[in-house]
Amino acid sequence: MTNFTMYTYELKRDLMNFSKKISTGLSKSDSKFLMDMMFGISVSGSTLISEISRSLKENIKLGYTIERLCNHLSSFDENNLIMNNYFDECRNHFGDKPIVLFDDSDISKIYGKKFEDLDDVIDGSNKEKSITPGYHVCEAVVLTKMEKQPISLYSKIYSCKSDNFISKNEYTMESIKTSEKVLGKRFIGVFDRGYDDNKIIDYMSKNNEFVIRMKDKRTFLFKGKKKNCYEEAIKRKGKIRMTLLFDDNEVREVYVSHTKVTLPYNKSDYELVMVYGLSEERPLILLTNLSIHSKEDVIKVVRLYFSRWRIEEYFRAKKQEYDFENMRVRTLKAMNNLNTILTIYLGYVGMLSEKIDRKLMTIKIIEASKSLRRKILVWLSQMARGIKEILKYCHTGIKEWQKIEKREKNKQMQLKL
């Protein structure tokens, strides 16, 4: 790749302009702090404050930079204003009927001892699904209208051991209401089986459309008779054939059937969609309030659920490309502030990815990433590596982009004798 200096300058300028828009209404010190953090994360590809500080290339001792960023991170209280500015920048990238994906993740702190309110979490990155010290993360991402890239609307790190903790459902409902507020219109919510809960189903039924994967123990009224959904599913056979394409270019042929059911909890009617062929043992069971009148409607419901895999790719990019689990700040407030800044930065990357193959800068970023595969579904990881590769040619930080007030030295009064 040639002309690195030109692309470095253009990318730095674009990132700084985005940071200024997000900082509208903030104080000078907060705006400068946000700009430092955004640039540091993009260059270092890390959430470690020490790595971010090194990326700034300030002409002072590294310890002073680390101390300044840590102190500001712990006292940062402008999240609402920043997020509102961030949502204003993102809204043009959402479709007429957005798809919002809801899921939980975790931050594993195996060797952590001094972190605030360390909880017990199931390590999703571990094949054994072992229980380790850590934190829960509630996330909601919306897919862009063109490239279906995930952009986060809500992200919260919490511990069940905190004094102000109520329940996990409180964070789930907060993520749903935040999505409603940001989008300002009805959306389609996609949930995994961990969200098979009557309160969530009831709320979504009244306000939005949804697709939720059911647990095998869930019971419904089939033609007025109460029956277990799994026992009914294994008695049936899929009559609709369709193919699913996964991110690793794996193509699977599955069979689908559907039936009307009634939920005993609220006596409301829904559609139950059953997918066969993904596992030899168990069918996948989905509940939706979307209207089904044809074969195409059934296929749409199945594809909506499998779009949920994009939030898993979002989590993977967050952890692998930005070392999210390795953050060293100790308090939950500092963790959530750092998470907010990373969320905004990933939103910027997601909006850049929306212009893939249509903007020269994004083409050059993908080229710089030197990835093995040229066509994928979620571009976050490749974009992260490409941005880091281009910005590593920065010989200076971002001091020249910041308006730093230089005060004149105090002149001491002199008495001439």
PDB file of all heavy atoms in Angstrom, residues 200-221:
ATOM      1  N   ILE A 200     -40.942 -10.096  29.348  1.00  0.00           N
ATOM      2  CA  ILE A 200     -40.354  -9.578  28.101  1.00  0.00           C
ATOM      3  C   ILE A 200     -41.297  -9.820  26.935  1.00  0.00           C
ATOM      4  O   ILE A 200     -41.528  -8.931  26.099  1.00  0.00           O
ATOM      5  CB  ILE A 200     -38.988 -10.239  27.852  1.00  0.00           C
ATOM      6  CG1 ILE A 200     -38.000  -9.833  28.950  1.00  0.00           C
ATOM      7  CG2 ILE A 200     -38.442  -9.855  26.476  1.00  0.00           C
ATOM      8  CD1 ILE A 200     -36.659 -10.524  28.872  1.00  0.00           C
ATOM      9  N   ILE A 201     -41.880 -11.026  26.864  1.00  0.00           N
ATOM     10  CA  ILE A 201     -42.823 -11.353  25.787  1.00  0.00           C
ATOM     11  C   ILE A 201     -44.031 -10.429  25.845  1.00  0.00           C
ATOM     12  O   ILE A 201     -44.484  -9.903  24.827  1.00  0.00           O
ATOM     13  CB  ILE A 201     -43.259 -12.827  25.880  1.00  0.00           C
ATOM     14  CG1 ILE A 201     -42.060 -13.754  25.618  1.00  0.00           C
ATOM     15  CG2 ILE A 201     -44.373 -13.126  24.893  1.00  0.00           C
ATOM     16  CD1 ILE A 201     -42.352 -15.212  25.851  1.00  0.00           C
ATOM     17  N   ASP A 202     -44.542 -10.207  27.048  1.00  0.00           N
ATOM     18  CA  ASP A 202     -45.732  -9.362  27.223  1.00  0.00           C
ATOM     19  C   ASP A 202     -45.440  -7.925  26.802  1.00  0.00           C
ATOM     20  O   ASP A 202     -46.250  -7.286  26.103  1.00  0.00           O
ATOM     21  CB  ASP A 202     -46.184  -9.418  28.683  1.00  0.00           C
ATOM     22  CG  ASP A 202     -47.629  -8.995  28.857  1.00  0.00           C
ATOM     23  OD1 ASP A 202     -48.418  -9.213  27.917  1.00  0.00           O
ATOM     24  OD2 ASP A 202     -47.966  -8.460  29.930  1.00  0.00           O
ATOM     25  N   TYR A 203     -44.289  -7.386  27.234  1.00  0.00           N
ATOM     26  CA  TYR A 203     -43.939  -6.002  26.892  1.00  0.00           C
ATOM     27  C   TYR A 203     -43.720  -5.847  25.386  1.00  0.00           C
ATOM     28  O   TYR A 203     -44.223  -4.895  24.773  1.00  0.00           O
ATOM     29  CB  TYR A 203     -42.691  -5.570  27.651  1.00  0.00           C
ATOM     30  CG  TYR A 203     -42.318  -4.128  27.404  1.00  0.00           C
ATOM     31  CD1 TYR A 203     -42.891  -3.099  28.133  1.00  0.00           C
ATOM     32  CD2 TYR A 203     -41.402  -3.790  26.395  1.00  0.00           C
ATOM     33  CE1 TYR A 203     -42.564  -1.776  27.899  1.00  0.00           C
ATOM     34  CE2 TYR A 203     -41.068  -2.472  26.146  1.00  0.00           C
ATOM     35  CZ  TYR A 203     -41.647  -1.466  26.904  1.00  0.00           C
ATOM     36  OH  TYR A 203     -41.329  -0.154  26.645  1.00  0.00           O
ATOM     37  N   MET A 204     -42.978  -6.762  24.786  1.00  0.00           N
ATOM     38  CA  MET A 204     -42.708  -6.676  23.356  1.00  0.00           C
ATOM     39  C   MET A 204     -43.983  -6.849  22.531  1.00  0.00           C
ATOM     40  O   MET A 204     -44.145  -6.235  21.478  1.00  0.00           O
ATOM     41  CB  MET A 204     -41.675  -7.724  22.949  1.00  0.00           C
ATOM     42  CG  MET A 204     -40.265  -7.467  23.456  1.00  0.00           C
ATOM     43  SD  MET A 204     -39.514  -5.955  22.797  1.00  0.00           S
ATOM     44  CE  MET A 204     -39.376  -6.364  21.061  1.00  0.00           C
ATOM     45  N   SER A 205     -44.909  -7.656  23.009  1.00  0.00           N
ATOM     46  CA  SER A 205     -46.168  -7.877  22.288  1.00  0.00           C
ATOM     47  C   SER A 205     -46.979  -6.590  22.180  1.00  0.00           C
ATOM     48  O   SER A 205     -47.642  -6.338  21.173  1.00  0.00           O
ATOM     49  CB  SER A 205     -47.009  -8.949  22.990  1.00  0.00           C
ATOM     50  OG  SER A 205     -46.333 -10.176  23.026  1.00  0.00           O
ATOM     51  N   LYS A 206     -46.901  -5.761  23.217  1.00  0.00           N
ATOM     52  CA  LYS A 206     -47.689  -4.532  23.238  1.00  0.00           C
ATOM     53  C   LYS A 206     -47.036  -3.402  22.450  1.00  0.00           C
ATOM     54  O   LYS A 206     -47.725  -2.474  22.010  1.00  0.00           O
ATOM     55  CB  LYS A 206     -47.891  -4.080  24.687  1.00  0.00           C
ATOM     56  CG  LYS A 206     -48.720  -5.039  25.516  1.00  0.00           C
ATOM     57  CD  LYS A 206     -48.785  -4.592  26.965  1.00  0.00           C
ATOM     58  CE  LYS A 206     -49.574  -5.586  27.818  1.00  0.00           C
ATOM     59  NZ  LYS A 206     -49.582  -5.198  29.260  1.00  0.00           N
ATOM     60  N   ASN A 207     -45.718  -3.467  22.277  1.00  0.00           N
ATOM     61  CA  ASN A 207     -45.010  -2.316  21.716  1.00  0.00           C
ATOM     62  C   ASN A 207     -44.267  -2.586  20.410  1.00  0.00           C
ATOM     63  O   ASN A 207     -44.121  -1.676  19.600  1.00  0.00           O
ATOM     64  CB  ASN A 207     -43.995  -1.801  22.750  1.00  0.00           C
ATOM     65  CG  ASN A 207     -44.655  -1.340  24.020  1.00  0.00           C
ATOM     66  OD1 ASN A 207     -45.160  -0.233  24.110  1.00  0.00           O
ATOM     67  ND2 ASN A 207     -44.673  -2.205  25.036  1.00  0.00           N
ATOM     68  N   ASN A 208     -43.781  -3.802  20.201  1.00  0.00           N
ATOM     69  CA  ASN A 208     -42.948  -4.081  19.032  1.00  0.00           C
ATOM     70  C   ASN A 208     -43.152  -5.517  18.560  1.00  0.00           C
ATOM     71  O   ASN A 208     -43.842  -6.310  19.203  1.00  0.00           O
ATOM     72  CB  ASN A 208     -41.463  -3.859  19.365  1.00  0.00           C
ATOM     73  CG  ASN A 208     -41.141  -2.413  19.676  1.00  0.00           C
ATOM     74  OD1 ASN A 208     -41.103  -1.571  18.799  1.00  0.00           O
ATOM     75  ND2 ASN A 208     -40.927  -2.131  20.956  1.00  0.00           N
ATOM     76  N   GLU A 209     -42.510  -5.835  17.447  1.00  0.00           N
ATOM     77  CA  GLU A 209     -42.497  -7.210  16.948  1.00  0.00           C
ATOM     78  C   GLU A 209     -41.234  -7.899  17.449  1.00  0.00           C
ATOM     79  O   GLU A 209     -40.221  -7.237  17.686  1.00  0.00           O
ATOM     80  CB  GLU A 209     -42.574  -7.219  15.417  1.00  0.00           C
ATOM     81  CG  GLU A 209     -43.895  -6.674  14.902  1.00  0.00           C
ATOM     82  CD  GLU A 209     -43.908  -6.444  13.412  1.00  0.00           C
ATOM     83  OE1 GLU A 209     -42.861  -6.011  12.881  1.00  0.00           O
ATOM     84  OE2 GLU A 209     -44.950  -6.688  12.782  1.00  0.00           O
ATOM     85  N   PHE A 210     -41.276  -9.212  17.556  1.00  0.00           N
ATOM     86  CA  PHE A 210     -40.142  -9.913  18.138  1.00  0.00           C
ATOM     87  C   PHE A 210     -40.033 -11.333  17.593  1.00  0.00           C
ATOM     88  O   PHE A 210     -40.988 -11.913  17.071  1.00  0.00           O
ATOM     89  CB  PHE A 210     -40.266  -9.966  19.667  1.00  0.00           C
ATOM     90  CG  PHE A 210     -41.428 -10.795  20.159  1.00  0.00           C
ATOM     91  CD1 PHE A 210     -41.288 -12.165  20.335  1.00  0.00           C
ATOM     92  CD2 PHE A 210     -42.648 -10.211  20.442  1.00  0.00           C
ATOM     93  CE1 PHE A 210     -42.352 -12.937  20.793  1.00  0.00           C
ATOM     94  CE2 PHE A 210     -43.723 -10.975  20.888  1.00  0.00           C
ATOM     95  CZ  PHE A 210     -43.571 -12.343  21.064  1.00  0.00           C
ATOM     96  N   VAL A 211     -38.824 -11.898  17.763  1.00  0.00           N
ATOM     97  CA  VAL A 211     -38.553 -13.315  17.533  1.00  0.00           C
ATOM     98  C   VAL A 211     -37.711 -13.776  18.720  1.00  0.00           C
ATOM     99  O   VAL A 211     -36.631 -13.243  18.954  1.00  0.00           O
ATOM    100  CB  VAL A 211     -37.785 -13.566  16.220  1.00  0.00           C
ATOM    101  CG1 VAL A 211     -37.478 -15.059  16.067  1.00  0.00           C
ATOM    102  CG2 VAL A 211     -38.572 -13.046  15.023  1.00  0.00           C
ATOM    103  N   ILE A 212     -38.213 -14.742  19.492  1.00  0.00           N
ATOM    104  CA  ILE A 212     -37.517 -15.234  20.680  1.00  0.00           C
ATOM    105  C   ILE A 212     -37.383 -16.753  20.592  1.00  0.00           C
ATOM    106  O   ILE A 212     -38.356 -17.445  20.286  1.00  0.00           O
ATOM    107  CB  ILE A 212     -38.265 -14.857  21.980  1.00  0.00           C
ATOM    108  CG1 ILE A 212     -38.439 -13.343  22.095  1.00  0.00           C
ATOM    109  CG2 ILE A 212     -37.521 -15.391  23.204  1.00  0.00           C
ATOM    110  CD1 ILE A 212     -39.174 -12.902  23.348  1.00  0.00           C
ATOM    111  N   ARG A 213     -36.199 -17.250  20.882  1.00  0.00           N
ATOM    112  CA  ARG A 213     -36.013 -18.691  20.940  1.00  0.00           C
ATOM    113  C   ARG A 213     -36.548 -19.216  22.261  1.00  0.00           C
ATOM    114  O   ARG A 213     -36.262 -18.665  23.325  1.00  0.00           O
ATOM    115  CB  ARG A 213     -34.526 -19.044  20.797  1.00  0.00           C
ATOM    116  CG  ARG A 213     -34.273 -20.544  20.763  1.00  0.00           C
ATOM    117  CD  ARG A 213     -32.808 -20.850  20.570  1.00  0.00           C
ATOM    118  NE  ARG A 213     -32.575 -22.288  20.621  1.00  0.00           N
ATOM    119  CZ  ARG A 213     -31.379 -22.856  20.507  1.00  0.00           C
ATOM    120  NH1 ARG A 213     -30.301 -22.095  20.348  1.00  0.00           N
ATOM    121  NH2 ARG A 213     -31.246 -24.165  20.556  1.00  0.00           N
ATOM    122  N   MET A 214     -37.319 -20.297  22.192  1.00  0.00           N
ATOM    123  CA  MET A 214     -37.971 -20.859  23.364  1.00  0.00           C
ATOM    124  C   MET A 214     -37.117 -21.940  24.025  1.00  0.00           C
ATOM    125  O   MET A 214     -36.367 -22.663  23.366  1.00  0.00           O
ATOM    126  CB  MET A 214     -39.322 -21.468  22.985  1.00  0.00           C
ATOM    127  CG  MET A 214     -40.358 -20.483  22.500  1.00  0.00           C
ATOM    128  SD  MET A 214     -41.045 -19.466  23.843  1.00  0.00           S
ATOM    129  CE  MET A 214     -40.085 -17.955  23.644  1.00  0.00           C
ATOM    130  N   LYS A 215     -37.258 -22.028  25.348  1.00  0.00           N
ATOM    131  CA  LYS A 215     -36.669 -23.144  26.078  1.00  0.00           C
ATOM    132  C   LYS A 215     -37.539 -24.384  25.889  1.00  0.00           C
ATOM    133  O   LYS A 215     -38.751 -24.272  25.660  1.00  0.00           O
ATOM    134  CB  LYS A 215     -36.559 -22.808  27.564  1.00  0.00           C
ATOM    135  CG  LYS A 215     -35.604 -21.662  27.865  1.00  0.00           C
ATOM    136  CD  LYS A 215     -35.590 -21.331  29.340  1.00  0.00           C
ATOM    137  CE  LYS A 215     -34.656 -20.172  29.647  1.00  0.00           C
ATOM    138  NZ  LYS A 215     -34.691 -19.777  31.075  1.00  0.00           N
ATOM    139  N   ASP A 216     -36.940 -25.553  26.009  1.00  0.00           N
ATOM    140  CA  ASP A 216     -37.669 -26.800  25.759  1.00  0.00           C
ATOM    141  C   ASP A 216     -38.782 -27.045  26.770  1.00  0.00           C
ATOM    142  O   ASP A 216     -39.735 -27.787  26.484  1.00  0.00           O
ATOM    143  CB  ASP A 216     -36.697 -27.991  25.783  1.00  0.00           C
ATOM    144  CG  ASP A 216     -35.749 -27.972  24.593  1.00  0.00           C
ATOM    145  OD1 ASP A 216     -36.022 -27.221  23.635  1.00  0.00           O
ATOM    146  OD2 ASP A 216     -34.731 -28.687  24.621  1.00  0.00           O
ATOM    147  N   LYS A 217     -38.702 -26.433  27.953  1.00  0.00           N
ATOM    148  CA  LYS A 217     -39.710 -26.683  28.990  1.00  0.00           C
ATOM    149  C   LYS A 217     -40.946 -25.800  28.846  1.00  0.00           C
ATOM    150  O   LYS A 217     -41.917 -25.974  29.596  1.00  0.00           O
ATOM    151  CB  LYS A 217     -39.088 -26.467  30.372  1.00  0.00           C
ATOM    152  CG  LYS A 217     -37.982 -27.462  30.712  1.00  0.00           C
ATOM    153  CD  LYS A 217     -37.433 -27.214  32.113  1.00  0.00           C
ATOM    154  CE  LYS A 217     -36.334 -28.222  32.451  1.00  0.00           C
ATOM    155  NZ  LYS A 217     -35.778 -27.997  33.809  1.00  0.00           N
ATOM    156  N   ARG A 218     -40.930 -24.876  27.920  1.00  0.00           N
ATOM    157  CA  ARG A 218     -42.052 -23.942  27.760  1.00  0.00           C
ATOM    158  C   ARG A 218     -43.303 -24.686  27.288  1.00  0.00           C
ATOM    159  O   ARG A 218     -43.248 -25.553  26.422  1.00  0.00           O
ATOM    160  CB  ARG A 218     -41.668 -22.861  26.760  1.00  0.00           C
ATOM    161  CG  ARG A 218     -42.790 -21.993  26.271  1.00  0.00           C
ATOM    162  CD  ARG A 218     -43.322 -21.068  27.342  1.00  0.00           C
ATOM    163  NE  ARG A 218     -42.442 -19.946  27.624  1.00  0.00           N
ATOM    164  CZ  ARG A 218     -42.822 -18.894  28.345  1.00  0.00           C
ATOM    165  NH1 ARG A 218     -44.047 -18.849  28.861  1.00  0.00           N
ATOM    166  NH2 ARG A 218     -41.987 -17.914  28.588  1.00  0.00           N
ATOM    167  N   THR A 219     -44.457 -24.345  27.871  1.00  0.00           N
ATOM    168  CA  THR A 219     -45.736 -24.954  27.482  1.00  0.00           C
ATOM    169  C   THR A 219     -46.640 -23.920  26.820  1.00  0.00           C
ATOM    170  O   THR A 219     -46.602 -22.730  27.162  1.00  0.00           O
ATOM    171  CB  THR A 219     -46.455 -25.555  28.701  1.00  0.00           C
ATOM    172  OG1 THR A 219     -46.665 -24.520  29.675  1.00  0.00           O
ATOM    173  CG2 THR A 219     -45.633 -26.680  29.316  1.00  0.00           C
ATOM    174  N   PHE A 220     -47.444 -24.377  25.855  1.00  0.00           N
ATOM    175  CA  PHE A 220     -48.400 -23.525  25.140  1.00  0.00           C
ATOM    176  C   PHE A 220     -49.737 -24.246  25.038  1.00  0.00           C
ATOM    177  O   PHE A 220     -49.835 -25.457  25.304  1.00  0.00           O
ATOM    178  CB  PHE A 220     -47.894 -23.214  23.728  1.00  0.00           C
ATOM    179  CG  PHE A 220     -46.667 -22.354  23.683  1.00  0.00           C
ATOM    180  CD1 PHE A 220     -45.406 -22.917  23.530  1.00  0.00           C
ATOM    181  CD2 PHE A 220     -46.765 -20.975  23.791  1.00  0.00           C
ATOM    182  CE1 PHE A 220     -44.272 -22.128  23.488  1.00  0.00           C
ATOM    183  CE2 PHE A 220     -45.643 -20.170  23.747  1.00  0.00           C
ATOM    184  CZ  PHE A 220     -44.398 -20.750  23.596  1.00  0.00           C
ATOM    185  N   LEU A 221     -50.732 -23.489  24.618  1.00  0.00           N
ATOM    186  CA  LEU A 221     -52.029 -24.076  24.318  1.00  0.00           C
ATOM    187  C   LEU A 221     -52.085 -24.367  22.821  1.00  0.00           C
ATOM    188  O   LEU A 221     -52.073 -23.457  21.995  1.00  0.00           O
ATOM    189  CB  LEU A 221     -53.156 -23.128  24.719  1.00  0.00           C
ATOM    190  CG  LEU A 221     -53.299 -22.817  26.216  1.00  0.00           C
ATOM    191  CD1 LEU A 221     -54.420 -21.808  26.445  1.00  0.00           C
ATOM    192  CD2 LEU A 221     -53.556 -24.091  27.021  1.00  0.00           C
TER     193      LEU A 221
END
